[in-house]
Amino acid sequence: MAEPFHIKFTSGDFKGASFKIKDGLTLGRAKADLNFKDPKISTVHVKFIREETGKWFIKDMDSTNGIWFDGKKVKAQELQAGQQFRIGSIEFEIISPFQSVQPDPTEIKAWREPLFNFLDRLQLKQTPQALSAFHPPLILTITEGQQASTKWVLGYGPRDIGPVHFDHPILEPGSPDTCFTIEPSAAGPIIKTAFPDKVLLNGQSKDTEKIHDGLWIKIQNTKIVVSLDHETDS
């Protein structure tokens, strides 16, 4: 099957949410594309792979606790709709790309629609933007919340951060689609948010702030600290 599957959380804090896989996507605790605060999950635990035949696989990345399918520990597994698997303490279900994913109405209402399924719709609405390099690059480190230890390095902008942005997602139920944007400016990069009541900049309800070392952003339980990567820029 050439079309990518959706992976639905069936347990834990993100129960009912889902995301679309892509070739090479990794899940882990600290250095993966999507990181989870679970001590039973390894730093980079699994990777999703699409073969030339169009088949999709999940591969164990030499994790400590492995991948569990139907009570069996596996090193790699071809993905089929309806299968369930577990990494660490988190359980998932594989959803067909042609199946509508809707959370159970008894689950958290903030997850009314799947976490990353806004992506295609959002891209259609976007218009081309001129990109400018950040000098020095910016490092965004999540220090608190379920994504703690996640680190993003931004070399250019503007860049959008939020649940619908696959490369820089915020996994907080009820958070805005785009929590904030980091843009270049003549005076240096700035951070903007349309939701100052939900996205606090240095603990304050503000819609704009100039980026500087130590700036921190709080979105519910998630805290992000910004630093300047002078070493890479030198």
Side-chain angles (χ1 to χ4, degrees), residues 107-173:
E107 295 169 357
I108 301 173
K109 292 183 179 180
W111 294 116
R112 287 193 302 270
E113 296 188 49
L115 184 60
F116 296 125
N117 291 353
F118 294 105
L119 185 61
D120 294 334
R121 172 176 58 82
L122 187 71
Q123 288 178 331
L124 290 174
K125 292 183 177 181
Q126 291 178 333
T127 55
Q129 292 178 300
L131 301 177
S132 299
F134 293 133
H135 295 294
L138 309 178
I139 301 175
L140 276 62
T141 304
I142 300 181
T143 59
E144 297 178 11
Q146 285 292 323
Q147 294 170 267
S149 300
T150 297
K151 182 180 291 186
W152 299 316
V153 179
L154 307 184
Y156 64 90
R159 305 299 289 273
D160 293 323
I161 314 295
V164 303
H165 301 287
F166 189 83
D167 48 351
H168 303 111
I170 297 296
L171 304 182
E172 279 287 359

Side-chain angles (χ1 to χ4, degrees), residues 1-225:
M1 181 179 292
E3 289 294 320
F5 288 96
H6 295 260
I7 305 298
K8 181 180 179 180
F9 294 87
T10 58
S11 70
D13 291 341
F14 306 126
K15 183 178 180 181
S18 71
F19 60 92
K20 183 191 294 185
I21 64 173
K22 66 176 181 178
D23 189 27
L25 177 73
T26 56
L27 307 181
R29 191 183 70 249
K31 297 182 179 180
D33 297 310
L34 293 179
N35 296 293
F36 306 100
K37 194 174 182 180
D38 184 335
K40 295 182 179 180
I41 294 179
S42 296
T43 302
V44 179
H45 201 107
V46 299
K47 177 187 285 188
F48 294 100
I49 298 171
R50 180 184 181 276
E51 292 192 338
E52 292 183 359
T53 60
K55 294 181 178 180
W56 287 88
F57 287 80
I58 186 171
K59 179 182 178 182
D60 179 56
M61 301 299 288
D62 296 323
S63 69
T64 300
N65 295 312
I67 316 168
W68 292 82
F69 271 81
D70 298 324
K72 296 180 180 180
K73 189 176 182 180
V74 300
K75 292 293 293 182
Q77 177 74 38
E78 182 182 352
L79 301 184
Q80 300 287 343
Q83 291 176 318
Q84 296 189 358
F85 67 95
R86 174 174 58 83
I87 63 170
S89 302
I90 304 177
E91 297 176 343
F92 304 87
E93 181 181 357
I94 302 167
I95 305 296
S96 165
F98 308 106
Q99 177 181 345
S100 176
V101 184
Q102 293 294 335
D104 188 287
T106 62
E107 295 169 357
I108 301 173
K109 292 183 179 180
W111 294 116
R112 287 193 302 270
E113 296 188 49
L115 184 60
F116 296 125
N117 291 353
F118 294 105
L119 185 61
D120 294 334
R121 172 176 58 82
L122 187 71
Q123 288 178 331
L124 290 174
K125 292 183 177 181
Q126 291 178 333
T127 55
Q129 292 178 300
L131 301 177
S132 299
F134 293 133
H135 295 294
L138 309 178
I139 301 175
L140 276 62
T141 304
I142 300 181
T143 59
E144 297 178 11
Q146 285 292 323
Q147 294 170 267
S149 300
T150 297
K151 182 180 291 186
W152 299 316
V153 179
L154 307 184
Y156 64 90
R159 305 299 289 273
D160 293 323
I161 314 295
V164 303
H165 301 287
F166 189 83
D167 48 351
H168 303 111
I170 297 296
L171 304 182
E172 279 287 359
S175 58
D177 287 357
T178 299
C179 295
F180 61 90
T181 300
I182 296 181
E183 301 180 354
S185 76
I190 58 175
I191 181 172
K192 292 182 176 180
T193 179
F195 303 92
D197 56 328
K198 296 182 178 180
V199 180
L200 301 181
L201 307 180
N202 280 338
Q204 300 179 9
S205 180
K206 303 171 65 176
D207 55 15
T208 305
E209 179 78 11
K210 184 177 178 180
I211 296 289
H212 56 81
D213 259 323
L215 172 70
W216 56 276
I217 305 112
K218 194 72 183 289
I219 306 162
Q220 297 185 50
N221 295 317
T222 296
K223 183 178 181 179
I224 305 169
V225 177

